[in-house]
Amino acid sequence: MILDGLDRALEETGRSPRRRRTRIGWRQVAVQALFFVAVTAVVVALLSYGSADR
């Protein structure tokens, strides 16, 4: 395959890929919280809509 020698070539270079340290900012936390709230609201609305028919 095309990528057969990739592992060997990476070992020969001797360099390991750098791990980038990322800090989670307050904006990302806020967006994830809003997404969670929105998804939860949609699920609750769908469940309540389904039980309203009965």
Side-chain angles (χ1 to χ4, degrees):
M1 286 185 42
I2 297 172
L3 300 177
D4 282 343
L6 184 61
D7 289 334
R8 187 176 26 236
L10 285 174
E11 288 175 4
E12 289 175 0
T13 60
R15 286 200 279 172
S16 62
R18 287 186 185 177
R19 288 190 178 177
R20 195 173 150 201
R21 289 189 99 179
T22 57
R23 291 176 48 197
I24 298 177
W26 65 270
R27 288 186 185 105
Q28 186 175 359
V29 172
V31 167
Q32 288 179 349
L34 287 173
F35 178 76
F36 177 75
V37 169
V39 168
T40 304
V42 168
V43 169
V44 168
L46 287 173
L47 290 174
S48 66
Y49 178 76
S51 64
D53 291 336
R54 295 179 186 179

